[in-house]
Amino acid sequence: MTNSPTGSTVQEAEDFLALHPEIEAFDIVLHDANGIGRGKIIRRHELLGLYKSGRHLPISILGLDIVGEDVHETGLIWDQGDGDLRAWPIPGTLKPLYGTNPARGEVLMSMYHLDGAEMTSDPRHALKRQIDAMAAEGLKPAGAFELEFFLLDPDRSQGVRPAAAVLDGRRSEWTEVYSVDHLHGMEPLFSDIYRAAEAMGIKAETVISEYAPGQYELTLHYRTDVMEAADDLVRLKRIVRMQARRRGVVACFMAKPIEKYAGSGMHFHVSLQDDQGRNVFAEAVEGEWTDTIRHAIGGLRQTMGESMLVFAPHGNSWRRFANQSYAPVSPSWGVNNRSVALRIPAGAVAARRVEHRPSGVDANPYLVAATVLAGIRHGLKHGIDPGPETTGNGYEGSDDLPIPGDWREAIRAAQNSAFLKDALGEDMHRTFTAIKAAEYARVASWISDVDYELYLHTV
């Protein structure tokens, strides 16, 4: 197999090398079930070979747990002899990395069998399946993710605390929500982030001081291609982490890093376009919702419980769900209401969309988008009524479609879900749930400090 199944061309690599004679090496990155970028750093002279023939990588790279160890239950390790498959570059993703010395570039990759068939434990292929299914139904999804994160002090000897301002070393332990002056202390870092995003072709937009000390949000420009929206998110996370590290602070993408404050979400804004590029969620008269958006919400509500493992994939993810924490605790929906899981934001009718709010920033955006699109398709196919809109405080109501109460329950729900198996594809579903079960077993066997605090001198 020498013709790239992704559609990448040697010409793209040749043009890039001619434009960037300063670049000496390239990060080649593909993303596993946890959304972690894995791959290699190759030298400049190897790039053309990558585009001509792809790159052999072990199949086990897609069967790793959160710390990069094999999960044999995925069936991707010794059951396959840990043989090599072939990763190919994604067209349009070859970009310079800002601030590297010596200069490096980056290209995103996707995994294929040696004969060019898709390796369907690759999360990109799971999302592509849903995008293709929507295309067959005359629809094209558009969207964008929001990125919330903490900037923390690398020294944890005094506990987890916000990083000092990189501008002048001042430190605030207050929430500082929406404070513009507070943002100024991190302005040199955010300038680096914006420059790095621009070099990648990513339109990073508004920065906000969020609802906890040291917490921030970056918004991304809306994409008419949902795959590009997911690419934006994984690349922006890497940019933030890299630039923060250079400034001596830690970028934290845990869903709930600090006990007494709100966690970090990864809200996904999504709409649908028809063949003429019209937003089919947009109503003719403002506030008179179309059946399309209502049925989409109905499908997302009905499938949310069995899909929660995708949106909250780790043990720490479940610490984020608490009353009045800006994280939803039931599959509720509403208009201009941040206490619900599925929100129709206020704004122009032409920009009508659904904001899907359950996902933590620790989730894999490719799998989140795939699952959300599958839920929308489910609702449209079956004409599912979303039920009454939630008004007021969504934390106070009850819901007849509850979500799992904890991580273990979410794993079981995902393992037994025919919907999720169809949404992700059989191989990706098996891989993902096996990795999550192995991670649960690792965490469950860990004797933590809280055990000693509660039980050492009491039981």
Side-chain angles (χ1 to χ4, degrees), residues 134 138-144 222-224 226 269-285 288-294 296-297 343-355 373 376 380:
M134 279 201 158
L139 296 170
K140 182 178 182 180
Y222 214 71
R223 292 282 199 179
T224 56
V226 165
H269 294 251
V270 61
S271 60
L272 300 180
Q273 297 178 348
D274 63 17
D275 291 336
Q276 285 73 48
R278 293 174 297 204
N279 182 358
V280 299
F281 282 172
E283 65 271 23
V285 178
E288 295 183 6
W289 313 120
T290 64
D291 285 343
T292 308
I293 198 169
R294 293 183 72 260
I297 290 171
R343 172 179 175 246
I344 299 179
V349 170
R352 189 65 68 218
R353 62 196 186 277
V354 175
E355 180 187 7
L373 296 186
I376 289 173
L380 297 181

Side-chain angles (χ1 to χ4, degrees), residues 16 69-70 84 110 173 188 207 213 237 265 267 313 333 393 439 443:
F16 187 90
E69 294 186 4
D70 291 340
D84 280 345
S110 193
E173 301 287 348
V207 61
K237 282 180 72 172
H267 303 161
W333 78 279
N393 188 349
E439 186 180 344
V443 172

Side-chain angles (χ1 to χ4, degrees), residues 287-309:
E288 295 183 6
W289 313 120
T290 64
D291 285 343
T292 308
I293 198 169
R294 293 183 72 260
H295 294 159
I297 290 171
L300 291 172
R301 289 193 69 238
Q302 190 175 93
T303 58
M304 189 175 295
E306 57 199 298
S307 304
M308 279 302 298
L309 186 63

Side-chain angles (χ1 to χ4, degrees), residues 86-395:
R86 196 171 303 194
W88 288 91
I90 304 301
T93 66
L94 180 58
K95 303 290 183 180
L97 283 170
Y98 171 80
T100 50
N101 185 21
R104 296 203 321 276
E106 178 185 273
V107 62
L108 299 185
M109 309 287 288
S110 193
M111 191 77 93
Y112 291 80
H113 292 282
L114 298 181
D115 63 0
E118 294 177 352
M119 200 294 158
T120 48
S121 287
D122 182 329
R124 288 186 67 94
H125 296 316
L127 177 52
K128 182 176 180 295
R129 282 182 68 248
Q130 293 301 326
I131 293 172
D132 290 347
M134 279 201 158
E137 296 160 2
L139 296 170
K140 182 178 182 180
F145 290 92
E146 297 175 4
L147 181 68
E148 295 180 358
F149 57 95
F150 282 80
L151 295 176
L152 302 177
D153 193 317
D155 180 5
R156 286 194 288 154
S157 62
Q158 299 182 52
V160 177
R161 58 179 185 160
V166 299
L167 183 65
D168 56 12
R170 286 189 291 174
R171 190 189 309 273
S172 173
E173 301 287 348
W174 299 103
T175 299
E176 304 277 10
V177 64
Y178 275 70
S179 169
V180 177
D181 288 345
H182 178 65
L183 293 175
H184 292 169
M186 290 296 181
E187 188 276 333
L189 170 55
F190 284 115
S191 292
D192 290 341
I193 290 169
Y194 282 121
R195 291 189 187 102
E198 184 178 5
M200 285 278 183
I202 297 170
K203 292 184 178 180
E205 298 186 327
T206 305
V207 61
I208 302 165
S209 178
E210 261 290 355
Y211 201 65
Q215 188 185 36
Y216 302 87
E217 177 186 283
L218 275 169
T219 61
L220 286 158
H221 188 71
Y222 214 71
R223 292 282 199 179
T224 56
D225 183 334
V226 165
M227 187 70 78
E228 289 184 351
D231 289 344
D232 283 351
L233 195 284
V234 294
R235 298 189 105 161
L236 187 58
K237 282 180 72 172
R238 191 160 187 258
I239 286 168
V240 171
R241 182 179 282 117
M242 185 183 301
Q243 299 305 326
R245 191 175 183 181
R246 289 198 168 96
R247 292 284 181 175
V249 302
V250 173
C252 175
F253 299 105
M254 292 171 62
K256 183 78 168 180
I258 302 176
E259 175 184 343
K260 60 182 179 179
Y261 293 111
S264 293
M266 188 181 71
H267 303 161
F268 179 37
H269 294 251
V270 61
S271 60
L272 300 180
Q273 297 178 348
D274 63 17
D275 291 336
Q276 285 73 48
R278 293 174 297 204
N279 182 358
V280 299
F281 282 172
E283 65 271 23
V285 178
E286 186 169 1
E288 295 183 6
W289 313 120
T290 64
D291 285 343
T292 308
I293 198 169
R294 293 183 72 260
H295 294 159
I297 290 171
L300 291 172
R301 289 193 69 238
Q302 190 175 93
T303 58
M304 189 175 295
E306 57 199 298
S307 304
M308 279 302 298
L309 186 63
V310 172
F311 311 141
H314 308 292
N316 179 260
S317 308
W318 290 84
R319 301 187 189 281
R320 175 172 161 260
F321 298 104
N323 193 37
Q324 299 182 28
S325 64
Y326 288 97
V329 294
S330 69
S332 53
W333 78 279
V335 182
N336 195 21
N337 186 336
R338 286 183 170 85
S339 68
V340 299
L342 303 166
R343 172 179 175 246
I344 299 179
V349 170
R352 189 65 68 218
R353 62 196 186 277
V354 175
E355 180 187 7
H356 185 272
R357 297 173 57 83
S359 297
V361 74
D362 56 344
N364 183 332
Y366 299 107
L367 299 186
V368 168
T371 305
V372 168
L373 296 186
I376 289 173
R377 291 180 57 232
H378 177 76
L380 297 181
K381 178 180 179 180
H382 298 287
I384 298 173
D385 190 306
E389 171 194 346
T390 295
T391 58
N393 188 349
Y395 296 108

Side-chain angles (χ1 to χ4, degrees), residues 420-440:
L420 195 61
K421 184 178 290 187
D422 182 66
L424 302 182
E426 186 172 347
D427 290 339
M428 187 72 251
H429 177 267
R430 182 193 66 249
T431 300
F432 179 67
T433 55
I435 289 171
K436 293 296 102 185
E439 186 180 344
Y440 175 83

Side-chain angles (χ1 to χ4, degrees), residues 404-426:
D406 58 31
W407 189 26
R408 185 181 186 185
E409 188 180 339
I411 291 172
R412 288 177 174 171
Q415 288 170 330
N416 296 323
S417 172
F419 164 78
L420 195 61
K421 184 178 290 187
D422 182 66
L424 302 182
E426 186 172 347

Side-chain angles (χ1 to χ4, degrees), residues 26-83:
F26 296 88
D27 296 6
I28 63 172
V29 185
L30 64 81
H31 291 88
D32 68 9
N34 281 309
I36 295 173
R38 303 196 185 274
K40 302 181 178 184
I41 299 178
I42 64 172
R43 305 306 296 170
R44 179 184 179 91
H45 70 270
E46 298 178 272
L47 186 69
L48 291 182
L50 179 75
Y51 275 76
K52 289 176 181 176
S53 305
R55 186 80 176 209
H56 285 126
L57 290 173
I59 190 173
S60 58
I61 202 171
L62 293 175
L64 301 175
D65 68 8
I66 192 68
V67 294
E69 294 186 4
D70 291 340
V71 177
H72 298 280
E73 293 81 0
T74 63
L76 300 179
I77 318 299
W78 299 123
D79 291 4
Q80 306 285 337
D82 197 18

